[in-house]
């Protein structure tokens, strides 16, 4: 019998292998041990055929026969048989048990009482073999006891077990699913019995294993969950994956959300890396539906409590109250102080009575300091603090003997275009306006005279102890050049000046610092007509001048350049006398006339009617002709010339000479006749007739 049993077990091994594939790896070991124990127990039974059937428990027919045997065996034998079942067989419902027990006992007993070789295996496929229905009905009833699982759907499961690498999840299916532990790193508090959502990837793989994914289920549900969390102001958990610019990336329901650095905590964070790989609670504060961006905040969870705490602290504050605080943060504009649950700001101007470039010069992080409350706002929860107010103002200890006109030394602490602030002592400053830096009236910047850090000496111009203001000057350290201007720059004196600026009417020059003058455009040259000063000189160049007039009240000199040379118009008056003829070249023609370049650099003007030539044509530019001076004005420095007059006047002179000659001849003839009247004879009469005819002939010509 033992040999037969071993042979039977070996023949039924393939059926056992199929069952093993449907169970987990852990169950394989248990099944092997259970089968061995079952073999030993069955060998002790009187019915060898029934024992052999028990060993082949993995087939449906054998299972039914085993159930029949269970009904007749002792309780101990039933318990032994039940221990041989796999995890799935143990979990059969009461309904399944009833169905098994309702099989035809008579057939089972009769078959169990006969040898195995005489057992009618064909009856297992006969519908009449089963009680309570057909084999198909019984299988359908059994399948209804199992959960129906569809692939690519999200279902709820229960955590059955947790190992170092895997999480076993029961979803009510005939086998349990296995999920990698890494998918639950966002939830370190996961425990057996927790309900979770899983995504069914495969109901059975090639090994019969149920394949689930919690990460994919979270990803599919995540967007709806995130929107619900925002709408319901829900507190959610998230796993901080890594650091990024300006904050952190947080895994929330499988979505990568952004956690701004300012929303991590109410206190400034100095080391962001300490939060990486941590799971924290958050609130969803903003969602961009278009770009599917999510912003979360941890700070929002504690703000409400902090706001209540701030309100309580502020309600006990008073202006002028001195408190101890801790330096929480330092910025370029001030220092934030933690007063024990509420923050206050010390503006950079309230750190010291003196000038402070950066707050780090006064305080350091985490330093405990005493501060005074300057002001606070109950609505906005803002508190203004100060440090310098704990010490007396430096103006109160300023030497009372300092007065206007005294000289002081100080350091340039601030520069501006309009002036420089000089620190006389910490907290005591004076302003040197740019106009008090030089006697010059030219517009200049304060940076042209000094820079930050320079040690300067200045004269006190004004001092107001009540307003704590002081104005200084440095030009007063030098003598005002206009005090003795008449002596130094007398009228008619000649000097060298620097060209500072141009205008349409002249040139502004500087003889020395603080002494400026104007050269009018008409005083640049005796002979040339200058339209703009740029035609004569350039800015920055040096020009010789002569003082023409002094305006001490307005601190201006009237200067001239042409006065350094002899006035050539005194000579031109005799050279270009009226009716004198000179050669000239036409340089420019306009509607009114033309400019004529003549000798000695003199320019004359010819009207349009004076440009007509003897052949009737008009003169052209660059044409060289003779011109007659028609008009000369020394005062206006003007010469009027004409080319036409040169030949017209010659014609008029010739006609005038001929007329004078004819008139002289007639007068002489008349005188001759009159002198011979007294001696008139017949011959004289004839002579008179001949003279008359001659005169008539002359007149006809």
């Amino acid at each position: 019998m033992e040999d037969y049993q071993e042979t039977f077990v070996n023949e039924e091994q393939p059926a056992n292998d199929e069952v093993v594939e449907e169970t987990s790896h852990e169950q394989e070991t248990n099944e092997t041990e259970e089968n061995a124990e079952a073999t030993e127990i069955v060998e002790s039974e009187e019915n060898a055929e029934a024992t052999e059937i028990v060993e082949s428990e993995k087939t449906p027919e054998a299972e039914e026969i085993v159930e029949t045997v269970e009904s007749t065996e002792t309780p101990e034998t039933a318990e032994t048989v039940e221990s041989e079942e796999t995890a799935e067989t143990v979990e059969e419902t009461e309904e399944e048990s009833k169905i098994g027990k309702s099989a035809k006992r008579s057939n089972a007993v009769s078959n169990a009482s006969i040898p195995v070789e005489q057992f009618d295996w064909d009856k297992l496929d006969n519908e009449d073999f089963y009680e309570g229905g057909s084999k198909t009905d019984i299988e359908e009833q059994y399948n209804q006891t199992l959960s129906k699982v569809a692939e690519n759907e999200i279902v709820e499961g229960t955590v059955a077990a947790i190992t170092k690498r895997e999480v076993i999840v029961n979803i009510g299916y005939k086998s349990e699913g296995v999920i990698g532990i890494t998918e639950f790193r966002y939830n370190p508090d996961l425990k057996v019995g927790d309900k979770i959502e899983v995504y069914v990837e495969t109901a059975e793989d090639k090994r019969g294993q149920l394949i689930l994914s919690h990460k994919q289920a979270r990803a599919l549900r995540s967007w709806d969950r995130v929107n619900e969390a925002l709408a319901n102001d829900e507190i959610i958990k998230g796993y901080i994956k890594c650091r990024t610019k300006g904050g952190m990336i947080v895994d929330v329901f499988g979505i990568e959300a952004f956690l701004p650095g300012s929303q991590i905590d109410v206190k400034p964070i100095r080391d962001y890396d300490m939060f990486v790989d941590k799971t924290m609670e958050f609130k969803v504060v903003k969602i961009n539906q278009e770009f599917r961006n999510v912003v979360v905040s941890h700070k929002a969870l504690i703000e409400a409590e902090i706001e209540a705490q701030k309100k309580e602290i502020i309600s006990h504050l008073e202006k002028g109250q001195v408190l101890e605080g801790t330096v929480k943060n330092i910025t370029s504009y001030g220092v934030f102080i933690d007063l024990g649950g509420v923050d206050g700001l010390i503006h950079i101007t309230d750190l010291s009575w003196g000038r402070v470039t950066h707050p780090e010069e006064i305080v350091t992080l985490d330093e405990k300091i005493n501060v005074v409350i300057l002001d606070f706002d109950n609505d906005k929860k803002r508190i203004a603090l100060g440090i310098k107010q704990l010490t007396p103002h430096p103006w109160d200890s300023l030497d009372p003997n300092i007065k206007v006109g005294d000289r002081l030394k100080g350091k340039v602490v601030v520069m501006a275009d309009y002036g420089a602030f000089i620190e006389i002592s910490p907290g005591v400053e004076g302003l040197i306006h740019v106009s008090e830096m030089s006697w010059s009236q030219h517009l200049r910047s304060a940076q042209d005279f000094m820079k930050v850090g320079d040690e300067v000496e200045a004269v006190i111009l004004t001092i107001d102890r009540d307003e704590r203001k002081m104005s200084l000057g440095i030009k007063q350290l030098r003598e005002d050049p206009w005090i003795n201007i008449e002596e130094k720059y007398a009228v008619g004196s000649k000097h060298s000046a620097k060209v500072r600026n141009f205008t349409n009417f002249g040139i502004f020059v500087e003889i020395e610092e603080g002494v400026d003058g104007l050269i009018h455009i008409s005083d640049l040259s005796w002979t040339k007509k200058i339209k703009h000063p740029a035609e004569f000189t350039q800015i920055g160049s040096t020009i010789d001048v002569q003082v023409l007039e002094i305006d001490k009240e307005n601190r201006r000199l009237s200067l001239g350049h042409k006065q350094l040379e002899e006035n050539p118009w005194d000579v031109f008056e005799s050279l270009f006398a009226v009716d004198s003829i000179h050669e000239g070249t036409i340089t420019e023609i306009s509607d009114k006339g033309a400019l004529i370049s003549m000798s000695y650099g003199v320019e004359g003007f010819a009207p349009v009617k004076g440009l007509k030539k003897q052949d009737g044509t008009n003169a052209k530019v660059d044409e060289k002709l003779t011109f007659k001076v028609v008009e000369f004005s020394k005062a206006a420095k003007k010469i009027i010339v004409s080319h036409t007059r040169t030949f017209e006047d010659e014609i008029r002179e010739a006609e005038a000479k001929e007329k004078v000659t004819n008139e002289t001849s007639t007068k002489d003839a008349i005188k001759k006749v009159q002198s011979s009247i007294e001696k008139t004879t017949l011959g004289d009469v004839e002579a008179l007739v001949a003279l008359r005819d001659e005169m008539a002939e002359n007149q006809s010509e």
Side-chain angles (χ1 to χ4, degrees), residues 237-488:
K237 286 187 177 181
Y239 172 76
I240 300 178
K241 298 176 63 177
C242 61
R243 179 180 177 181
T244 187
K245 183 179 181 181
M248 316 289 287
I249 298 299
V250 182
D251 183 349
V252 178
F253 303 133
I255 292 178
E256 288 191 348
F258 178 63
L259 173 63
S262 60
Q263 295 298 315
I264 297 177
D265 201 345
V266 292
K267 299 179 180 180
I269 303 301
R270 301 171 192 170
D271 183 13
Y272 287 83
D273 295 331
M274 63 182 294
F275 293 95
V276 177
D277 292 332
K278 285 189 176 182
T279 300
M280 300 174 63
E281 292 184 338
F282 302 97
K283 274 190 177 181
V284 180
V285 295
K286 184 178 181 182
I287 295 178
N288 187 319
Q289 301 290 346
E290 181 179 358
F291 297 102
R292 301 182 80 85
N293 293 335
V294 180
V295 180
V296 297
S297 172
H298 178 71
K299 176 182 177 181
L301 300 177
I302 53 179
E303 275 186 337
E305 181 181 350
I306 292 177
E307 287 299 320
Q309 187 177 1
K310 284 183 178 180
K311 188 175 181 180
E312 176 67 19
I313 295 175
I314 291 178
S315 63
H316 295 87
L317 295 180
E318 296 180 0
K319 291 183 180 180
Q321 185 178 3
V322 178
L323 301 173
E324 184 183 54
T326 304
V327 177
K328 179 179 180 182
N329 191 25
I330 299 176
T331 67
S332 59
Y333 57 85
V335 180
F336 287 94
I337 305 297
D338 184 0
L339 299 176
V342 63
D343 293 343
L345 173 65
I346 306 176
H347 195 269
I348 189 172
T349 57
D350 292 317
L351 288 172
S352 172
W353 292 113
R355 292 276 179 175
V356 178
T357 305
H358 195 278
E360 291 179 346
E361 300 174 5
I362 307 298
V363 297
T364 57
L365 282 174
D366 299 327
E367 179 185 359
K368 292 188 177 296
I369 57 174
N370 290 328
V371 295
V372 60
I373 298 176
L374 304 180
D375 197 3
F376 58 90
D377 187 341
N378 287 320
D379 296 331
K380 297 182 179 180
K381 310 295 187 298
R382 294 178 179 176
I383 304 174
L385 306 174
I387 296 178
K388 70 179 185 181
Q389 289 79 7
L390 297 174
T391 58
H393 198 288
W395 272 87
D396 298 337
S397 58
L398 185 65
D399 187 354
N401 297 322
I402 293 178
K403 61 184 182 302
V404 174
D406 290 348
R407 293 188 178 188
L408 298 173
K409 288 184 178 181
K411 182 179 180 181
V412 180
V413 291
V414 176
M415 290 295 303
D417 290 338
Y418 58 86
F421 289 92
I422 311 300
E423 186 180 56
I424 308 303
S425 62
V428 179
E429 296 178 0
L431 172 64
I432 304 178
H433 194 271
V434 66
S435 62
E436 302 299 336
M437 294 182 179
S438 172
W439 291 110
S440 176
Q441 296 183 357
H442 296 294
L443 295 177
R444 299 170 70 179
S445 175
Q447 285 83 354
D448 296 337
F449 299 93
M450 59 189 68
K451 62 182 181 299
V452 175
D454 288 351
E455 296 285 344
V456 297
E457 184 180 15
V459 176
I460 299 177
L461 304 181
T462 63
I463 183 171
D464 189 338
R465 295 180 182 271
D466 295 333
E467 295 293 331
R468 294 169 177 170
K469 291 182 179 180
M470 183 187 304
S471 62
L472 308 172
I474 58 174
K475 71 180 183 181
Q476 290 77 11
L477 299 174
R478 300 182 297 274
E479 184 182 10
D480 186 355
W482 282 89
I483 294 178
N484 57 351
I485 192 70
E486 294 90 348
E487 300 176 3
K488 193 171 183 179

Side-chain angles (χ1 to χ4, degrees), residues 108-271:
V109 172
S110 62
N111 279 285
S113 62
I114 63 176
V116 175
E117 60 270 12
Q118 297 179 5
F119 185 83
D120 190 359
W121 295 98
D122 294 333
K123 289 184 178 182
L124 292 175
D125 297 330
N126 192 344
E127 297 292 337
D128 296 335
F129 182 80
Y130 302 95
E131 291 182 357
S134 64
K135 177 182 178 181
T136 304
D137 294 337
I138 294 174
E139 288 181 349
E140 183 177 351
Q141 292 177 21
Y142 172 74
N143 290 331
Q144 289 178 356
T145 64
L146 301 175
S147 299
K148 294 182 179 180
V149 176
E151 295 184 356
N152 302 324
E153 286 189 357
I154 298 175
V155 297
E156 187 178 65
T158 304
V159 177
I162 300 176
T163 67
K164 291 183 178 180
R165 296 184 178 181
E166 297 173 335
V167 175
I168 311 302
V169 181
N170 180 16
I171 62 171
Y173 194 52
K174 61 182 179 181
S175 63
E176 295 174 337
V178 179
I179 302 175
I181 192 67
T182 56
E183 294 191 18
F184 297 91
R185 62 183 179 180
Y186 76 94
N187 185 11
D189 300 328
L190 183 70
K191 61 185 181 298
V192 175
D194 286 353
K195 300 290 184 180
I196 61 172
E197 288 185 336
V198 293
Y199 177 79
V200 181
E201 295 185 352
T202 305
E204 286 188 25
D205 62 2
K206 62 182 181 179
R207 298 175 56 190
Q209 179 67 53
L210 174 64
I211 306 301
L212 305 176
S213 173
H214 179 61
K215 180 179 180 181
Q216 195 165 353
R218 291 178 67 223
L220 294 175
R221 297 284 195 193
S222 59
W223 192 247
D224 294 336
R225 292 286 304 277
V226 165
N227 282 276
E228 290 176 4
L230 177 63
N232 300 330
D233 198 24
E234 180 183 350
I235 298 175
I236 60 176
K237 286 187 177 181
Y239 172 76
I240 300 178
K241 298 176 63 177
C242 61
R243 179 180 177 181
T244 187
K245 183 179 181 181
M248 316 289 287
I249 298 299
V250 182
D251 183 349
V252 178
F253 303 133
I255 292 178
E256 288 191 348
F258 178 63
L259 173 63
S262 60
Q263 295 298 315
I264 297 177
D265 201 345
V266 292
K267 299 179 180 180
I269 303 301
R270 301 171 192 170
D271 183 13

Side-chain angles (χ1 to χ4, degrees), residues 499-552:
V499 178
R500 287 292 188 185
N501 195 17
F502 287 153
T503 65
N504 292 330
F505 55 84
I507 302 174
F508 286 101
V509 297
E510 183 181 58
I511 299 179
E512 68 167 272
E513 184 177 336
V515 180
D516 298 333
L518 171 66
I519 307 174
H520 195 272
I521 193 170
S522 61
D523 292 319
L524 290 174
S525 175
W526 289 109
T527 57
K528 293 182 180 179
K529 290 186 177 181
I530 300 172
K531 297 180 180 179
H532 193 274
E535 300 174 6
F536 189 82
T537 185
Q538 59 185 0
I539 295 176
S541 61
T542 301
I543 186 173
D544 293 331
V545 296
Q546 181 176 331
V547 179
L548 304 180
E549 185 180 351
I550 298 176
D551 185 356
K552 190 173 183 179

Side-chain angles (χ1 to χ4, degrees), residues 625-650:
L625 301 171
T626 57
F627 294 89
K628 177 179 282 191
V629 178
V630 178
E631 181 182 347
F632 181 89
S633 175
K634 178 180 176 181
K637 300 178 182 60
K638 179 173 66 174
I639 301 176
I640 306 298
V641 297
S642 173
H643 170 68
T644 306
R645 289 283 299 272
T646 57
F647 60 84
E648 284 184 349
D649 288 351
E650 290 180 358

